[in-house]
Amino acid sequence: MRTLSKRSEFLAANRGLRFPMPGFVLLVRARDDDDDGIGIGYTVSKKVGNAVTRNRMKRRLRALCRAALPESGIAGADHVLIGRPGGNDIVFAELGEHLDSALARAAKKIAAPRPNRAP
């Protein structure tokens, strides 16, 4: 897994699929390159709380991804987790279930063939 660090990578992921959950929002965008690696990024805005609260949320999101992404992540895609207010109040195991559910929905949506649209 590689960590996203550039603003352009986060903006590109924002144009991808969005899966809102109670504690976070998962953004997934399939890259169109030959790299099968998984990209992961985390962001928590000041709306969530002070620095201590935001850092705690980022630590929890990192731990979730370390556990779930190696087996459930989408190869060749960038994943971004956006922390939501109240995410620190949710039990960690429940957040893990939410992430597994969001990743399953993302994999299903990316694997589905896209219909041809007439102009």
Side-chain angles (χ1 to χ4, degrees), residues 1-2 25 30 36 44 51 63 73 87 97 99 109 111:
M1 285 192 312
R2 109 186 142 77
V25 177
D36 282 343
V44 182
E97 292 171 7
L99 181 59
K109 197 145 201 167

Side-chain angles (χ1 to χ4, degrees), residues 95-116:
L95 280 177
E97 292 171 7
H98 292 314
L99 181 59
D100 290 339
S101 169
L103 287 170
R105 286 174 41 207
K108 186 176 179 182
K109 197 145 201 167
I110 287 179
R114 295 184 181 180
N116 293 334

Side-chain angles (χ1 to χ4, degrees), residues 62-101:
R62 277 190 221 110
L64 285 171
C65 289
R66 272 194 301 270
L69 284 184
E71 63 247 5
S72 301
I74 300 164
D78 288 337
H79 305 70
V80 174
L81 285 170
I82 303 171
R84 296 177 102 177
N88 281 337
D89 300 332
I90 298 174
V91 178
F92 188 77
E94 193 175 330
L95 280 177
E97 292 171 7
H98 292 314
L99 181 59
D100 290 339
S101 169

Side-chain angles (χ1 to χ4, degrees), residues 9-109:
E9 295 171 325
F10 283 89
L11 292 175
N14 197 35
R15 291 190 301 267
L17 300 173
R18 180 177 294 263
F19 302 95
M21 292 287 155
F24 59 87
V25 177
L26 174 67
L27 305 177
V28 178
R29 183 186 73 92
R31 295 186 313 269
D32 293 328
D33 58 6
D34 296 331
D35 184 18
D36 282 343
I38 295 174
I40 183 68
Y42 314 93
T43 182
V44 182
S45 76
K46 286 187 177 182
K47 291 179 185 178
V48 173
N50 62 10
V52 174
T53 305
R54 293 192 311 269
N55 286 334
R56 180 169 187 247
M57 173 151 305
K58 283 190 267 189
R59 284 194 305 270
R60 293 181 78 181
L61 294 177
R62 277 190 221 110
L64 285 171
C65 289
R66 272 194 301 270
L69 284 184
E71 63 247 5
S72 301
I74 300 164
D78 288 337
H79 305 70
V80 174
L81 285 170
I82 303 171
R84 296 177 102 177
N88 281 337
D89 300 332
I90 298 174
V91 178
F92 188 77
E94 193 175 330
L95 280 177
E97 292 171 7
H98 292 314
L99 181 59
D100 290 339
S101 169
L103 287 170
R105 286 174 41 207
K108 186 176 179 182
K109 197 145 201 167

